[in-house]
Amino acid sequence: MGAIGTGSAPRKRIALVTGASSGLGREFARQIDLLQQVDEIWLVARSEDELQGTADMLTTAAAPIAADLTVHEDIDAVRRKLDAERPEMRFLVNAAGFGKFGDWRAISDEAVDAMIDLNCRGLVDVTRAALPHMGDGGRIIQVASAAAFVPLPHMNVYAATKAFVLRYARALRWELRGSGITVMALCPTWVSTGFEQVARQSGGGHEVGHLLGAQKASTVVSRALCASRLHAAVATGSPQAFALRVAGKVLPSCITMGGWDLIRRL
């Protein structure tokens, strides 16, 4: 009688969520937990205490990873953990990011560099670390913004970083066609999170007025997950964001920037 092989153990299914200590990242972790489609949720952000607060909300096993995604060494640590454990990544949600209000004189060089590093380079580096561990059925959600659709004076660097995320997600999706991995850019308008508080912590914090039509994080995330299941390339999450997407396609930038300049003064 031949020996019966034990076979290899199944790979652990995970979701990796950046920016998971608050806002959209925390809400993505919560709603992915409700789906009960993964064995573990890896939570990435700078604050270990706040990550633990997110982990305590979940029924799925959670792995808090304190990492600053503007720092190469911290991204390398995330990559090494992935390579060592070799999980099957079912979800990657890049929700880490921030913005600042103000014109070019009002925002410090340090804040500008950090926005570019986190919103662009950090997102790309985490995606590249994750892709070798994704396969058929894997879902990538890159959190951009409706700001990606038009240039925004007095938020010029933030809007430019989100345009980068949108273009990167669209091109990566094309490269991955046939692999079974879905890539989607999420482009909502204002969301009721801690974004505004951080954005106003600059010399130009007063230059953008009331955030009209802000949505709940829970609504944005539930619509994003639904759009991802439907293999959408871009999700806006609201009629306002969709209208801005259309406006960015059909109107000259001088008109959309002029309209924004009126709205920001409200």
Side-chain angles (χ1 to χ4, degrees), residues 110-165:
E110 292 79 10
V112 166
D113 288 349
M115 267 190 281
I116 296 169
D117 281 347
L118 180 59
N119 298 0
C120 299
R121 184 182 57 78
L123 177 144
V124 171
D125 285 353
V126 170
T127 302
R128 290 174 61 85
L131 278 170
H133 305 280
M134 301 192 83
D136 189 12
R139 291 156 65 181
I140 300 175
I141 299 175
Q142 310 284 31
V143 177
S145 166
F149 301 134
V150 296
L152 295 184
H154 301 269
M155 290 185 69
N156 57 27
V157 173
Y158 174 76
T161 64
K162 294 305 183 178
F164 172 93
V165 173

Side-chain angles (χ1 to χ4, degrees), residues 5-248:
T6 58
S8 59
R11 295 165 65 197
K12 176 170 59 179
R13 300 169 304 163
I14 72 162
L16 191 153
V17 182
T18 72
S21 59
S22 62
L24 284 176
R26 174 173 281 189
E27 185 61 25
F28 267 110
R30 190 186 72 82
Q31 293 199 28
I32 290 172
D33 172 50
L34 295 176
L35 296 176
Q36 295 292 297
Q37 294 179 1
V38 296
D39 305 308
E40 197 166 279
I41 301 176
W42 291 15
L43 308 169
V44 181
R46 289 183 301 176
S47 171
E48 190 168 358
D49 290 343
E50 292 179 3
L51 283 176
Q52 190 57 54
T54 302
D56 291 343
M57 296 168 50
L58 309 178
T59 59
T60 305
I65 303 170
D68 183 343
L69 299 181
T70 67
V71 177
H72 289 283
E73 291 77 8
D74 285 13
I75 293 175
D76 287 342
V78 175
R79 182 182 288 107
R80 287 194 300 271
K81 181 176 173 64
L82 283 167
D83 292 345
E85 299 194 20
R86 299 183 58 79
E88 177 190 353
M89 189 176 295
R90 305 300 294 172
F91 292 90
L92 169 64
V93 180
N94 273 309
F98 76 99
K100 291 288 185 181
F101 295 155
D103 69 7
W104 72 271
R105 294 164 296 188
I107 303 173
S108 69
D109 291 343
E110 292 79 10
V112 166
D113 288 349
M115 267 190 281
I116 296 169
D117 281 347
L118 180 59
N119 298 0
C120 299
R121 184 182 57 78
L123 177 144
V124 171
D125 285 353
V126 170
T127 302
R128 290 174 61 85
L131 278 170
H133 305 280
M134 301 192 83
D136 189 12
R139 291 156 65 181
I140 300 175
I141 299 175
Q142 310 284 31
V143 177
S145 166
F149 301 134
V150 296
L152 295 184
H154 301 269
M155 290 185 69
N156 57 27
V157 173
Y158 174 76
T161 64
K162 294 305 183 178
F164 172 93
V165 173
L166 172 60
R167 298 303 184 189
Y168 173 68
R170 294 299 302 262
L172 182 63
R173 176 187 176 90
W174 184 271
E175 291 178 12
L176 291 172
R177 68 191 189 281
S179 69
I181 301 172
T182 299
V183 184
M184 186 186 80
L186 173 60
C187 299
T189 51
W190 308 117
V191 184
S192 299
T193 63
F195 173 87
E196 181 179 3
Q197 180 181 358
V198 173
R200 294 199 185 281
Q201 293 171 358
S202 72
H206 63 285
E207 294 180 23
V208 176
H210 179 68
L211 306 189
L212 300 174
Q215 294 180 274
K216 293 181 179 180
S218 58
T219 301
V220 172
V221 170
S222 63
R223 290 176 179 175
L225 289 172
C226 179
S228 177
R229 284 195 298 273
L230 296 173
H231 301 277
V234 179
T236 54
S238 72
Q240 307 97 293
F242 180 76
L244 194 58
R245 182 183 180 189
V246 173

